[in-house]
Amino acid sequence: MKINIKKLSSRQKITAVVILSLILVAAIIGGARKIVASSKKSDQVFYKVKKETYENVIEIAGTVSAAKSQTLKSLNDGTVVGVYKKEGDHVKEGDLIVQLDDTEQLYNLANLDYEISVARQNQTSGKIKLMETQRKSLLRKVSDRKIVATFTGIIASLDVDPGDYLEAKDSIGTLVDTSYLTADVEIAETDVSKLKAGQKVVFKFPAWPEPVEGYLVSFPSIGEVTSRGATVVNAKVRIDNVPSGILPNFSFTGKIYITEPEDKIVVERYAIGHEQGQAFAEIVEKNGKVTKVKVEVEPYTIDYVNIISGLSGGEVLKAQSSAGKSGRMKTSTKGKTSGNGGQGGGFAPPPGSMGGMPRM
């Protein structure tokens, strides 16, 4: 029905406005009642029992280093006359890698050997002892013309060719022992008391898809203050079985396991009630039936408890928001009891999913 306001008298206009206002107020009240009714239907909170793994660990991060590392460098000036290994080669302790020209050193050694033989024929024992000391010095100079491996490992880098002229202390490459890898990691002072040599360490490398297991080697009995002002202890961790894809200086994150992981069955503590000193829970079946069961629980976190017995995981529990059941202080508003099982931790089952669950 349309009303032409312009054709109405002043009194009729006032009457029409009043009628329209009453209609609008009635509509608002009706909508509010629907909202309240809807709220009443869904104000029950439910919690689902979950399974999870509890890890008592210390988080770490860092980069791994080779078990041993040798910088390949010349001890004297000279021309390279031989390169006997290449980058990536496996070498043993004492293997010759690079040879510098040692013609002069060998000549001096041969000349001294001749003088020693003459001195022995003349039986000048005092001079012979002096010459033998000199010979040790010459042997050292001959040895210094060689660059050799000081341990068994892999040549990680080598940049030199025959004919190159090297000056003393020039670095030409690196030899590494990757039979195991180590890393120094910072441990906060509050966690040091949990450390024990031999504890399992699990490493995760961006360069490798699988976790790598190692162990805690040692930690010092003194802390140090970082540039951030934090007091830490630098603990040493180690990997013995090194995957082929993990190289020295690769970064990682990891965990030091204080204890082995434990499987837990947990639920929000608001789902557990108490009667006469006995904990219980109310399981809501799919058909809406509620079954009361005795449970044993222990504290887990601020909002969760660990189920020791009575539940196996996956059950849906009715919230215990009544002060008489939960034993917790409640705040009453307009005759309704409001518990601490708030909407944040629980959930309302979707319509029909609980098979016509009765209103509680």
Side-chain angles (χ1 to χ4, degrees):
M1 179 181 68
K2 294 182 179 180
I3 299 175
N4 193 336
I5 303 276
K6 294 181 179 179
K7 294 182 179 182
L8 298 177
S9 65
S10 298
R11 180 175 294 179
Q12 289 175 326
K13 287 181 180 179
I14 293 172
T15 302
V17 170
V18 171
I19 293 172
L20 290 174
S21 298
L22 291 173
I23 293 172
L24 179 59
V25 170
I28 293 173
I29 293 174
R33 286 177 179 173
K34 289 181 179 180
I35 293 172
V36 171
S38 176
S39 175
K40 288 181 180 178
K41 291 180 181 179
S42 61
D43 61 358
Q44 179 62 60
V45 177
F46 302 88
Y47 298 97
K48 189 169 184 179
V49 182
K50 296 169 282 189
K51 291 182 178 180
E52 66 177 43
T53 300
Y54 168 72
E55 292 185 333
N56 184 12
V57 300
I58 299 174
E59 305 279 352
I60 58 173
T63 57
V64 290
S65 301
K68 297 178 184 177
S69 180
Q70 175 190 351
T71 300
L72 303 175
K73 57 186 177 182
S74 172
L75 297 178
N76 292 284
D77 298 352
T79 302
V80 176
V81 295
V83 179
Y84 303 102
K85 302 293 180 181
K86 64 181 183 300
E87 189 172 306
D89 281 355
H90 289 260
V91 297
K92 296 180 180 179
E93 181 180 351
D95 282 356
L96 177 62
I97 299 174
V98 175
Q99 175 69 60
L100 298 182
D101 182 16
D102 59 359
T103 304
E104 180 181 348
Q105 288 74 22
L106 290 175
Y107 170 79
N108 292 336
L109 180 60
N111 186 57
L112 180 61
D113 285 342
Y114 172 76
E115 292 180 1
I116 291 175
S117 64
V118 171
R120 284 175 178 165
Q121 291 176 2
N122 296 332
Q123 297 182 350
T124 53
S125 58
K127 187 174 183 180
I128 290 175
K129 288 183 179 180
L130 180 62
M131 297 172 92
E132 286 177 344
T133 301
Q134 184 180 3
R135 188 175 191 278
K136 291 179 181 179
S137 176
L138 289 177
L139 285 172
R140 182 65 182 175
K141 290 181 179 180
V142 171
S143 177
D144 288 348
R145 309 301 287 179
K146 306 176 188 293
I147 301 177
V148 300
T150 58
F151 55 82
T152 299
I154 302 172
I155 298 179
S157 62
L158 187 63
D159 184 17
V160 66
D161 294 304
D164 290 350
Y165 185 83
L166 301 180
E167 295 183 354
K169 308 301 182 181
D170 277 352
S171 297
I172 59 170
T174 304
L175 172 67
V176 295
D177 173 11
T178 56
S179 57
Y180 64 90
L181 299 176
T182 64
D184 290 328
V185 294
E186 290 185 354
I187 306 296
E189 59 181 323
T190 52
D191 289 329
V192 173
S193 61
K194 304 174 186 176
L195 297 179
K196 185 178 180 181
Q199 286 170 327
K200 182 174 74 173
V201 180
V202 174
F203 300 80
K204 289 187 178 180
F205 292 88
W208 191 253
E210 300 295 331
V212 180
E213 187 169 322
Y215 58 94
L216 175 66
V217 177
S218 62
F219 54 95
S221 56
I222 186 171
E224 59 181 72
V225 180
T226 68
S227 59
R228 308 183 304 273
T231 301
V232 300
V233 163
N234 287 317
K236 185 175 291 294
V237 293
R238 172 169 164 168
I239 302 172
D240 283 342
N241 299 316
V242 182
S244 59
I246 304 300
L247 301 177
N249 297 323
F250 275 19
S251 63
F252 69 86
T253 57
K255 300 175 181 178
I256 299 176
Y257 281 80
I258 309 306
T259 58
E260 288 296 319
E262 297 180 62
D263 292 331
K264 300 283 188 180
I265 299 174
V266 301
V267 71
E268 286 87 345
R269 58 187 173 87
Y270 317 114
I272 305 300
H274 294 82
E275 282 184 345
Q276 298 178 352
Q278 173 65 54
F280 72 89
E282 292 182 314
I283 303 174
V284 184
E285 308 292 347
K286 291 184 178 180
N287 60 6
K289 180 181 177 182
V290 178
T291 304
K292 186 176 180 179
V293 296
K294 293 181 179 180
V295 295
E296 289 184 73
V297 300
E298 64 180 2
Y300 185 56
T301 64
I302 294 177
D303 292 319
Y304 283 80
V305 294
N306 176 42
I307 307 297
I308 300 174
S309 66
L311 299 170
S312 58
E315 298 93 343
V316 174
L317 305 182
K318 176 184 173 182
Q320 303 300 317
S321 57
S322 170
K325 292 182 180 180
S326 68
R328 294 182 59 81
M329 295 298 294
K330 310 297 177 191
T331 302
S332 178
T333 305
K334 293 184 180 179
K336 291 190 176 182
T337 303
S338 173
N340 288 329
Q343 301 289 342
F347 66 93
S353 67
M354 300 304 290
M357 181 187 304
R359 184 178 176 185
M360 308 176 197

